[in-house]
């Protein structure tokens, strides 16, 4: 049980407790009096002395509180030997576990003025401190890892949000981010799956570098049934081209035109290996033919007949050029 001191004391009042120790009231608290004879041994530590006897004194250096070992008929315990002054009551936090309110302030500009985390052997594991008026710094030592974890509302699931570590033997430190949300603005980070999906959605440029010509896909359909992006070679060797190439590029307008003159056009069809498979010279060509407005090159001279090598659905490269002779 605690020592019950007299109420409403005046400065200088003394009180002899049941254990024979004399206290004096000063600075707002009951304190050990100089009237105690023979000196009183006080054990000072954050933990109590071993094998205490009734009346032994222990000053808890973490709590700044003096305690006395008291044995009553049914129990024994350490009890406060005096009421602590108000400044101690408000400003001291126990190093063995305590609760505080308000803001904890650190003013030093080095790692001795912040928070230090120790390993079991008391060496420093990490620090958090104010390096300057504009920098808050944390040091991770001995290859230790810094991690941020989140739990759900029932605390039965745990998610790692990020980790930072310089592993022993590695050439550099690594930062790993997990569970990154899909970006909602240009300033947001993106997760790998989002980036992969965005890349996959881009148009694929699988054209052969250096290959001359415009890409078309060979079609067995012709005239008004020739699809966009397709071309066809007739039995006589004529070349029919969709007005829209395989890559969606417009090759002619909707206007119907019939060209015929001494000027010649050479049309060449190449395979994906670069070989010339079909070639003709035309003195009469058309655009805006049929309902699909396709292009048609008739045959003035067949240079190479490659119709038999055409395969529906495959990509071919077609060039045309005007010349005079």
């Amino acid at each position: 049980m605690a020592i019950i001191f007299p109420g409403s004391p005046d400065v200088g009042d003394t009180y002899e407790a049941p254990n024979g120790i004399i206290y004096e009231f000063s600075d707002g608290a009951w304190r050990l009096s100089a009237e105690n004879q023979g000196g009183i041994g006080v054990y000072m530590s954050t933990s109590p002395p071993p094998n205490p006897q009734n009346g032994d004194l222990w000053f808890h250096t973490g709590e700044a509180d003096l305690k006395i070992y008291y044995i009553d008929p049914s129990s024994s315990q350490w009890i406060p030997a005096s009421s602590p002054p108000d400044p101690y009551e408000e400003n001291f936090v126990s190093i063995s576990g305590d609760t505080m309110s308000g803001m904890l302030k650190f003013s030093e500009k080095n790692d001795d003025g912040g928070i230090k985390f120790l390993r079991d052997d008391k060496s420093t594991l990490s620090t958090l401190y104010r390096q300057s008026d504009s920098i808050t710094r944390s040091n991770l030592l001995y290859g230790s890892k810094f991690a941020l974890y989140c739990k759900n509302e029932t605390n039965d699931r745990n998610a790692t949000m990020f980790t930072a570590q310089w592993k022993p033997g590695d050439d550099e430190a690594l930062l790993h981010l997990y569970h990154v949300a899909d970006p909602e603005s240009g300033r947001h980070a993106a997760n790998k799956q989002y980036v992969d999906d965005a890349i996959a959605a881009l148009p694929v440029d699988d054209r052969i570098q250096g290959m001359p010509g415009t890409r078309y896909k060979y079609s067995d359909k012709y005239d008004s049934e020739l699809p966009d992006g397709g071309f066809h070679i007739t039995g006589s060797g004529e070349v029919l081209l969709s007005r829209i190439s395989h890559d969606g590029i417009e090759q002619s307008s909707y206007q119907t035109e019939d060209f015929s003159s001494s000027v010649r056009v050479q049309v060449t069809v190449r395979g994906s290996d670069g070989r010339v498979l079909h070639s003709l010279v035309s003195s009469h060509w058309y655009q805006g033919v049929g309902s699909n407005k396709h292009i048609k090159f008739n045959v003035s001279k067949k240079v190479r007949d490659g119709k038999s090598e055409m395969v529906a659905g495959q990509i071919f490269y077609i060039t045309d050029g005007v010349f005079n002779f």
Side-chain angles (χ1 to χ4, degrees), residues 94-306:
S94 173
I95 64 172
S96 61
D98 208 340
T99 301
M100 63 168 289
S101 61
M103 183 176 292
L104 183 62
K105 299 179 181 179
F106 302 94
S107 59
E108 295 293 329
K109 292 184 180 180
N110 53 61
D111 56 4
D112 290 328
I115 300 175
K116 183 178 291 186
F117 298 92
L118 304 179
R119 303 197 300 177
D120 290 341
D121 62 3
K122 306 304 181 184
S123 60
T124 302
L125 177 67
S126 60
T127 59
L128 177 64
Y129 60 95
R130 181 175 72 99
Q131 179 174 312
S132 67
D133 285 345
S134 59
I135 300 176
T136 300
R137 176 169 175 168
S138 178
N139 288 328
L140 306 178
L141 308 178
Y142 297 103
S144 59
K145 178 191 292 185
F146 183 79
L148 174 65
Y149 301 96
C150 285
K151 290 183 176 292
N152 63 355
E153 67 269 13
T154 56
N155 289 331
D156 58 357
R157 295 182 63 191
N158 188 71
T160 303
M161 304 310 295
F162 74 82
T163 62
Q165 186 179 22
W166 194 330
K167 294 181 180 179
D170 285 357
D171 293 332
E172 60 182 9
L174 296 176
L175 173 68
H176 293 277
L177 298 176
Y178 306 86
H179 308 290
V180 179
D182 288 348
E184 297 179 359
S185 77
R187 296 177 179 269
H188 291 180
N191 58 68
K192 182 178 182 302
Q193 186 61 57
Y194 180 90
V195 174
D196 289 346
D197 292 344
I199 293 175
L202 293 174
V204 177
D205 185 1
D206 55 357
R207 290 174 296 180
I208 299 174
Q209 296 299 315
M211 178 73 76
T214 302
R215 295 199 309 173
Y216 279 90
K217 183 179 292 186
Y218 190 75
S219 174
D220 287 334
K221 299 183 180 300
Y222 51 92
D223 292 340
S224 292
E225 294 185 2
L226 183 67
D228 284 349
F231 82 103
H232 180 77
I233 299 176
T234 68
S236 61
E238 295 175 326
V239 175
L240 310 181
L241 299 179
S242 164
R243 60 178 298 275
I244 304 296
S245 73
H246 174 72
D247 295 306
I249 301 172
E250 187 177 56
Q251 304 297 307
S252 68
S253 68
Y254 281 96
Q255 183 177 352
T256 300
E257 296 287 354
D258 182 347
F259 300 99
S260 178
S261 70
S262 60
V263 176
R264 302 292 187 264
V265 173
Q266 182 171 4
V267 180
T268 302
V269 180
R270 286 182 172 86
S272 59
D273 58 359
R275 292 186 304 121
V276 175
L277 302 179
H278 186 80
S279 180
L280 63 87
V281 173
S282 176
S283 62
H284 200 161
W285 64 97
Y286 310 83
Q287 75 170 31
V289 180
S291 60
N292 55 2
K293 305 298 183 181
H294 67 272
I295 305 166
K296 177 181 178 180
F297 296 96
N298 73 347
V299 178
S300 296
K301 180 176 180 59
K302 191 185 302 181
V303 181
R304 181 183 179 95
D305 188 355

Side-chain angles (χ1 to χ4, degrees), residues 13-92:
D13 286 355
T14 60
Y15 172 73
E16 183 175 350
N19 57 12
I21 299 175
I22 300 175
Y23 296 88
E24 181 177 351
F25 188 81
S26 65
D27 295 331
W30 288 99
R31 305 177 184 276
L32 290 174
S33 172
E35 296 181 20
N36 292 288
Q37 300 297 317
I40 299 175
V42 179
Y43 184 84
M44 303 181 68
S45 176
T46 57
S47 57
N51 304 316
Q53 304 297 316
N54 190 38
D56 284 355
L57 294 176
W58 164 41
F59 183 78
H60 193 303
T61 54
E63 298 177 353
D65 190 24
L66 180 64
K67 303 176 186 293
I68 186 170
Y69 196 71
Y70 178 75
I71 301 177
D72 61 29
S74 60
S75 64
S76 59
Q77 58 273 314
W78 290 99
I79 62 174
S82 64
S83 56
D86 288 344
Y88 283 7
E89 182 78 20
E90 295 176 359
N91 299 328
F92 273 75

